[in-house]
Amino acid sequence: MITLDDVRSAAAVIAPHVVRTPLLPFGPGWLKPENLQPIGAFKLRGALNALARLENRSNGVVAYSSGNHAQAVAFAAHLHGVPAAIVMPDNTPTVKIEATKALGAEVFIVGITERVERAEALVAERGAALIPPFDHPDVIAGQGTIGLEILEDLPDVEAVIVPMSGGGLISGVATAVKALRPDVRVIGAEPALAADIAASLKAGSLIRWDPVERAQTVADALRDEPSALTWSHISKLVDDVITVTEDEILAAVAHLARRARLIAEPSGAVAVAAQAKFGGAGVGVVSGGNVDPALLARLLVA
Amino acid sequence: MITLDDVRSAAAVIAPHVVRTPLLPFGPGWLKPENLQPIGAFKLRGALNALARLENRSNGVVAYSSGNHAQAVAFAAHLHGVPAAIVMPDNTPTVKIEATKALGAEVFIVGITERVERAEALVAERGAALIPPFDHPDVIAGQGTIGLEILEDLPDVEAVIVPMSGGGLISGVATAVKALRPDVRVIGAEPALAADIAASLKAGSLIRWDPVERAQTVADALRDEPSALTWSHISKLVDDVITVTEDEILAAVAHLARRARLIAEPSGAVAVAAQAKFGGAGVGVVSGGNVDPALLARLLVA
């Protein structure tokens, strides 16, 4: 498992390249708007930390991702002058594919179940380094910097509410928060349609859901499942899970636009939907903002 | 004229109640997203400073405003437990009227040319204190805190680009910036349809445009004109003005939504439209985000 020192070290490495996002008052709680990062999502933190720590990156980097990690690796690689090859599933929103290409990465589109295999093949062919979306200590430590910042700004916070999928974000955040303030509650948020972590915590062991089933949620960045590494953090550090319906997710996107002037993608609004059900004075992490403009337009006039 | 000390003193007064907005990388420059303030606009800074310094506020406060100053005064009054009466012109977007009422203020709707008169009548009837939208040293000093923050975050900034109307924002920002870094360029941004300050600076003296003419711009928060007080700051401290067309303003709203995940109202995007024409590494102040959702929806799918 990663440590508070890993997270602090990541914070020093990534500070020059990420936005130090503020906490924004929102209802009885606050928002941590990670959609304001240059690529529109928190994923930049983990990718920057992982890439900066690679010993051999001369043959480039490879990543597989439903979108935001793709842009994060593409951005980090571009920053370090390293070629990036990104494998994306064929159900990725066009806006995320285009944004990844615009950052100078080479993009490979494959079926959703084939992406790991294809990424590993590219690594073998090119001698490149794989940067996994969540299953890596450096990625987890990078995401954990969000937890450090929340406690810096609000040492007396009651709860931190974090979306879960592969579990990299909540593993990092929970490590930082629980090391510094064990009394602060760390609450995961999941779409009910992809609530495998809620089911796993209830069962006491990691339960796998069919990827095709999980792919039904509108929260397209939350269709992954934990690895052994992230599950070991989640099972020890996460206090509770709040699951949300598809309607609650879309309502949170509209609410963020109208009341916080923030554009969130459905996945990025899942913790805010959970925050509304939590009711207390918690911080909800707005994890990403790369929404399909047509979807946002429909929600604004609904 | 106000001084750097006035702005520093305002910063200390308002710090507990405003968001310390970060700079967000955007093209070759940066954004200062004041649309993320609790009321969705920078106006909160000036209103909080002015209200905090009122000696007698027991009979309440009165303000006239096309919208964002209204919400700012309503918010500040609510915070201090003081009644607020707000006079708004009848062409104010509904979203701003509703938001002002939601903050607990009493709202009076009048014709655009009658608002000062009506506000003064309310002051006389109630023995309340008027908080003007820009024509007051405490309001100007509050807005100037944006300039302090920009220089704290980016001491080597090339230019600061600020929307102009009544001139309170740019007067405060220019005071702070020029006192600390006289070499940093302070550039005003105006809709071409309400470019009376550009015309005034060219002529070397304050030129008045017909309010009905100025009311044509979609930038509904930029239909005011400077006072003698703000003009004295602008004429001494502003280096240049960039004017923008209605199409450029709306394009900037769409660009901010797609590329910065920020919701800006047209007035709030005027400095960003000017920033695109400036081309260099400047900071554009996104001054407000209280847009009509239907307008934003149309721009997103255009």
Side-chain angles (χ1 to χ4, degrees):
Chain A
M1 284 177 62
I2 69 156
T3 66
L4 178 60
D5 280 349
D6 295 330
V7 181
R8 285 187 163 143
S9 167
V13 165
I14 71 175
H17 309 298
V18 298
V19 173
R20 174 61 171 80
T21 51
L23 295 182
L24 306 176
F26 191 69
W30 295 266
L31 304 171
K32 178 74 170 167
E34 287 295 304
N35 57 329
L36 302 183
Q37 294 298 344
I39 59 135
F42 77 94
K43 292 272 184 182
L44 186 58
R45 295 174 183 260
L48 278 168
N49 190 48
L51 201 138
R53 289 170 194 283
L54 275 182
E55 294 198 355
N56 178 10
R57 55 191 184 220
S58 54
N59 293 329
V61 292
V62 172
Y64 55 91
S65 161
S66 62
N68 287 330
H69 177 61
Q71 290 176 63
V73 172
F75 185 100
H78 185 75
L79 200 70
H80 287 89
V82 164
I86 311 287
V87 181
M88 304 182 93
D90 54 14
N91 61 349
T92 303
T94 311
V95 62
K96 294 187 180 181
I97 297 171
E98 293 305 319
T100 306
K101 288 182 179 170
L103 289 163
E106 198 180 352
V107 172
F108 300 84
I109 307 290
V110 301
I112 189 166
T113 57
E114 302 153 37
R115 47 193 179 154
V116 180
E117 194 182 341
R118 183 63 171 273
E120 284 168 356
L122 282 161
V123 166
E125 283 165 24
R126 301 180 175 197
L130 183 71
I131 300 189
F134 54 85
D135 189 25
H136 193 288
D138 295 339
V139 173
I140 295 172
Q143 322 302 27
T145 57
I146 292 170
L148 288 187
E149 292 177 6
I150 291 171
L151 291 187
E152 271 170 24
D153 290 354
L154 202 66
D156 291 330
V157 63
E158 181 183 339
V160 178
I161 304 166
V162 184
M164 296 191 299
S165 175
L169 175 58
I170 199 164
S171 294
V173 169
T175 298
V177 167
K178 291 295 185 182
L180 290 165
R181 291 286 309 274
D183 54 315
V184 173
R185 287 167 64 76
V186 176
I187 299 175
E190 276 186 317
L193 292 179
D196 53 316
I197 300 180
S200 299
L201 285 170
K202 201 168 178 182
S205 66
L206 189 51
I207 291 174
R208 301 288 179 191
W209 283 21
D210 181 343
V212 176
E213 198 175 329
R214 283 186 270 121
Q216 293 177 93
T217 177
V218 67
D220 56 76
L222 302 185
R223 293 168 179 167
D224 255 312
E225 61 185 354
S227 65
L229 178 66
T230 56
W231 173 247
S232 72
H233 291 77
I234 292 168
S235 57
K236 287 180 190 72
L237 300 172
V238 172
D239 294 297
D240 204 354
V241 182
I242 296 173
T243 61
V244 294
T245 66
E246 300 293 290
D247 283 351
E248 287 167 341
I249 295 169
L250 295 176
V253 172
H255 196 52
L256 283 168
R258 286 167 182 270
R259 304 299 306 162
R261 295 94 189 168
L262 288 177
I263 292 179
E265 59 190 279
S267 309
V270 163
V272 178
Q275 193 176 19
K277 292 172 110 165
F278 174 68
V283 173
V285 177
V286 182
S287 51
N290 293 316
V291 67
D292 173 15
L295 170 62
L296 178 60
R298 282 198 301 278
L299 294 172
L300 282 169
V301 293
Chain B
M1 285 176 61
I2 70 157
T3 66
L4 177 61
D5 280 349
D6 295 330
V7 180
R8 286 188 161 143
S9 167
V13 165
I14 71 175
H17 309 299
V18 297
V19 173
R20 175 59 171 81
T21 51
L23 294 183
L24 306 176
F26 191 68
W30 295 265
L31 303 171
K32 178 74 170 166
E34 287 295 304
N35 57 329
L36 302 182
Q37 294 298 344
I39 59 136
F42 76 95
K43 291 272 185 182
L44 185 58
R45 296 173 182 261
L48 278 168
N49 189 48
L51 201 138
R53 289 170 194 282
L54 274 182
E55 295 199 354
N56 178 10
R57 56 191 184 219
S58 55
N59 293 329
V61 292
V62 172
Y64 55 91
S65 161
S66 62
N68 287 329
H69 177 62
Q71 290 177 64
V73 171
F75 185 100
H78 185 74
L79 199 71
H80 287 88
V82 163
I86 311 287
V87 181
M88 303 181 93
D90 54 14
N91 61 349
T92 302
T94 310
V95 63
K96 294 186 180 181
I97 296 171
E98 293 305 318
T100 305
K101 288 181 179 170
L103 288 163
E106 198 180 352
V107 172
F108 300 84
I109 307 290
V110 301
I112 190 166
T113 56
E114 301 153 39
R115 49 194 178 154
V116 179
E117 193 181 343
R118 183 61 171 273
E120 284 168 356
L122 283 160
V123 166
E125 283 164 25
R126 300 178 175 199
L130 182 72
I131 300 190
F134 55 85
D135 189 27
H136 193 288
D138 295 339
V139 173
I140 294 172
Q143 323 302 28
T145 57
I146 292 170
L148 286 187
E149 293 178 7
I150 291 171
L151 291 186
E152 271 170 24
D153 290 354
L154 201 65
D156 290 330
V157 63
E158 182 183 338
V160 178
I161 304 166
V162 184
M164 297 190 299
S165 174
L169 174 58
I170 200 164
S171 294
V173 169
T175 298
V177 168
K178 290 295 185 182
L180 290 164
R181 290 286 310 272
D183 53 315
V184 173
R185 287 166 64 77
V186 175
I187 300 175
E190 277 187 316
L193 291 179
D196 52 317
I197 301 180
S200 299
L201 284 170
K202 202 167 177 183
S205 65
L206 189 51
I207 291 174
R208 303 289 178 189
W209 283 21
D210 181 343
V212 177
E213 197 176 329
R214 283 186 270 120
Q216 293 177 92
T217 178
V218 68
D220 56 76
L222 302 184
R223 294 170 178 166
D224 255 314
E225 61 185 354
S227 65
L229 179 66
T230 55
W231 172 247
S232 73
H233 291 76
I234 293 167
S235 57
K236 286 182 192 70
L237 299 172
V238 172
D239 293 298
D240 204 354
V241 182
I242 296 173
T243 62
V244 293
T245 66
E246 300 293 289
D247 283 351
E248 287 166 342
I249 295 169
L250 295 175
V253 172
H255 196 51
L256 283 167
R258 287 167 181 270
R259 304 299 306 161
R261 296 94 190 170
L262 289 177
I263 293 179
E265 59 190 279
S267 308
V270 162
V272 178
Q275 193 176 18
K277 292 172 110 165
F278 175 67
V283 172
V285 177
V286 182
S287 51
N290 294 316
V291 68
D292 173 15
L295 170 62
L296 179 60
R298 283 198 301 278
L299 294 172
L300 282 169
V301 293

